[in-house]
Amino acid sequence: MPLKFIIPFLISLLCFVFCASAQQVIIKGAIYKRISSERLADVFITNLRTKGVAIGDQLGGFSISANVGDTLLFTKRGYTQQKQEATNYGMVVYMQPEVQLNEVRIVGQTKRQELSEILDDYRSKGLYFDGKPPATIFLPIGGSPLTGLRELFSKDARNMRRFAAFTKKELEATEVDKRYNRPFVMRATGLTDADSTTVTRFMEYYRPSFEDLKVWGDYDLIKKIKTQYEYFKKNGDRPTLQKLY
């Protein structure tokens, strides 16, 4: 074969080998609780280079598309985030349970305590049923009709009912914010700090309810976020965008 044909052939062959070696493969492994043989289910894995995501299975196993050497981020509620370099053999990842700081617990309790103290102030005025007396209180035997009427129709009772509803709404919103927040949404959608406006608009468009999160695990929430975000990307510029149900 003439030299003028051999050199291009060799260059093409080297390019092919290089490209093949750079192709992504499926990285597999298992995730454990640190200093334990306990496997962790439903761990959220992010390839920090490609922004690709995956979720570990119920037995603690995982697989994700990545190049050898890519940095993988492992996150799970209640555990410290773990970064680990992807390898082409079975990976073993250990995650450390988070240490709950007293300051965090105190802040969370303070809001609940403050709201409870205001409700206690209403109760000190003789509103024993939070403005919603049982029907039995109006019975002539063993009941107290006057107390019942006060619980239903007094100004304090009306204010107490309104404040009790406000308290319930505030505490539920706080619980939702603990799980549905910007970092979690960004990991689930692949958005970055550069997409801050999009993140804000999407979170204004979709917010799970307290009732939803009572029965959803992180895996369910991630699936819902992904579905809603795909719809949002296709229709987000519409001024009257309807939520996807």
Side-chain angles (χ1 to χ4, degrees):
M1 182 182 291
L3 184 62
K4 65 178 181 180
F5 295 113
I6 294 176
I7 293 177
F9 173 78
L10 290 176
I11 292 175
S12 299
L13 180 61
L14 288 173
C15 289
F16 174 80
V17 172
F18 176 80
C19 292
S21 64
Q23 286 180 347
Q24 290 188 338
V25 296
I26 300 300
I27 303 295
K28 296 183 178 181
I31 308 166
Y32 294 84
K33 181 179 178 181
R34 189 172 179 82
I35 317 180
S36 168
S37 60
E38 177 186 345
R39 290 198 176 199
L40 299 179
D42 298 331
V43 176
F44 192 42
I45 306 108
T46 305
N47 184 328
L48 297 182
R49 181 181 65 84
T50 66
K51 306 306 179 185
V53 298
I55 301 172
D57 61 30
Q58 294 297 311
L59 299 178
F62 74 91
S63 61
I64 186 170
S65 181
N67 285 344
V68 173
D70 284 353
T71 300
L72 305 181
L73 174 66
F74 299 82
T75 57
K76 180 177 176 65
R77 193 154 54 98
Y79 288 81
T80 302
Q81 292 185 353
Q82 174 74 14
K83 290 182 180 179
Q84 198 157 316
E85 187 176 290
T87 59
N88 57 0
Y89 51 88
M91 293 182 62
V92 178
V93 180
Y94 291 95
M95 298 188 69
Q96 175 70 43
E98 287 183 345
V99 177
Q100 297 295 328
L101 301 178
N102 290 334
E103 290 79 6
V104 174
R105 291 201 298 269
I106 290 172
V107 170
Q109 292 172 354
T110 298
K111 185 173 186 179
R112 184 181 294 274
Q113 288 174 345
E114 288 176 350
L115 295 173
S116 295
E117 286 173 1
I118 296 175
L119 287 175
D120 288 340
D121 184 58
Y122 279 111
R123 295 185 183 109
S124 69
K125 298 177 181 179
L127 300 173
Y128 305 110
F129 302 100
D130 295 351
K132 298 179 180 180
T136 54
I137 200 172
F138 296 100
L139 297 177
I141 300 176
S144 178
L146 290 178
T147 299
L149 291 172
R150 173 177 169 76
E151 287 268 359
L152 282 176
F153 301 114
S154 70
K155 181 179 179 181
D156 284 338
R158 290 195 299 271
N159 289 339
M160 186 178 191
R161 283 193 292 271
R162 284 195 291 268
F163 186 76
F166 167 78
T167 298
K168 180 175 182 292
K169 184 177 180 180
E170 282 292 296
L171 294 178
E172 288 180 354
T174 299
E175 292 302 313
V176 172
D177 290 340
K178 288 179 182 178
R179 294 183 59 191
Y180 186 74
N181 49 58
R182 292 180 71 89
F184 191 89
V185 170
M186 289 168 68
R187 289 198 299 271
T189 58
L191 295 171
T192 66
D193 290 333
D195 307 306
S196 178
T197 301
T198 302
V199 176
T200 300
R201 290 182 57 225
F202 173 67
M203 293 185 71
E204 289 172 350
Y205 157 71
Y206 172 67
R207 178 179 171 85
S209 71
F210 174 74
E211 296 300 322
D212 288 335
L213 295 185
K214 282 201 303 184
V215 296
W216 287 354
D218 284 350
Y219 178 74
D220 302 301
L221 179 57
I222 289 168
K223 286 201 303 183
K224 179 62 71 172
I225 290 173
K226 286 180 174 293
T227 300
Q228 293 284 349
Y229 181 62
E230 287 302 315
Y231 181 77
F232 175 80
K233 284 195 299 184
K234 295 176 182 177
N235 304 277
D237 292 333
R238 297 182 184 180
T240 57
L241 177 63
Q242 298 292 317
K243 289 187 179 181
L244 177 63
Y245 294 101

